[in-house]
Amino acid sequence: MASFRPDPNILRKHPNAITQQQIEEKSRFVGTLLGAAAGEALGAPHELKSAIELTLALLRSIVARRRLDVDDVAQGYLKWFAGNPKDIGALTRAALQNLRAGEPAAQSGAIAWEDTGRKSAGNGSVMCCAPIGLLHVRSLDGVAEDASAASRITHYDPRCVGSCVAVTTAIAHLVRGESDEAVERAASAAGAVSDDVRAAIERGAARSPADLRVDGEDRGYVLRTVELAFSALVGAADFEDGVVAVISRGGDTDTNACVAGALLGAKFGKSRIPERWVSKLKAAPELTSLAEQLYRLL
């Protein structure tokens, strides 16, 4: 189903009219960010959190610049990094140290990845890429390019890049109300970058979260996070059901639930996220305000 466009004749007669479709779309738009924050908070209630802080840095930059500006995003990441955060993955830390040392944003993640022997594929970039999907709700042109560029600031591995492409593509379709095709389109877009990501999405979509392995030595592996998140997206009856199912699997619960929460929030909308969860989120007011600003800009 295409994104809704109201009859221009009606809008001329009633310039302040708001349709039900627009109300629901905006709910899904805001729900994407609140869903990510709620998922992370539930997955790590006693830990310092990084996903939403990095999401906010990305979102602030997009709202201010009205596009993705990787150099500006990188400066936002560095401002957060200057506070010496403890809850930060090794690859993210290495990439931000490269940025701080003067490496360009387009190279910081590549250098960090090379230093691991091109082996590290953590979930540090997919946990905060949701704003890219929102930026492209009106037009999917460029979503893969922007998702790739944002991921490569910290996570250069094709599996990380493909995962960001998949999640942002799915979010854009879900917010537009195109839930029936979101998973297929996400898998296809990811496959252009990484066959491994496409396979992880297809596995997740065909199984329930209870059937998936997410813990062990590969805890924090981006493909585990993506597989579990898409499993929850396809199988969950509502937002709460999906997030609880993800957290119950263990593993990297905060990041897994953050990514799943973003997808589920984009599908079900803000109104379907339990208020008892949203009310406890310190970042909720700013996330909502920035989301509404971005929605008006599109």
Side-chain angles (χ1 to χ4, degrees), residues 174-229:
L174 290 165
V175 171
R176 286 156 63 109
E178 300 164 352
S179 58
D180 290 344
E181 56 191 276
V183 175
E184 181 180 351
R185 294 293 181 87
S188 176
V193 181
S194 168
D195 289 336
D196 290 335
V197 178
R198 179 202 289 268
I201 293 170
E202 292 173 346
R203 286 195 306 270
R207 303 176 186 177
S208 70
D211 295 329
L212 301 178
R213 180 174 67 85
V214 299
D215 212 342
E217 294 183 358
D218 54 1
R219 172 189 173 106
Y221 180 33
V222 71
L223 296 186
R224 297 292 184 218
T225 296
V226 168
E227 184 179 28
L228 186 58

Side-chain angles (χ1 to χ4, degrees), residues 70-145:
V70 294
D71 292 323
D72 189 63
V73 172
Q75 290 305 307
Y77 287 179
L78 282 176
K79 183 177 180 180
W80 169 76
F81 191 51
N84 297 315
K86 296 180 180 180
D87 182 28
I88 181 171
L91 197 60
T92 300
R93 183 180 296 278
L96 295 183
Q97 287 172 338
N98 292 335
L99 280 174
R100 190 164 59 187
E103 297 293 346
Q107 293 296 320
S108 55
I111 295 169
W113 182 55
E114 290 285 352
D115 287 344
T116 71
R118 298 189 174 189
K119 294 179 180 179
S120 182
N123 53 19
S125 60
V126 76
M127 71 182 184
C128 61
C129 66
I132 302 293
L134 299 180
L135 177 64
H136 288 276
V137 162
R138 292 284 176 262
S139 174
L140 290 165
D141 292 342
V143 64
E145 290 79 3

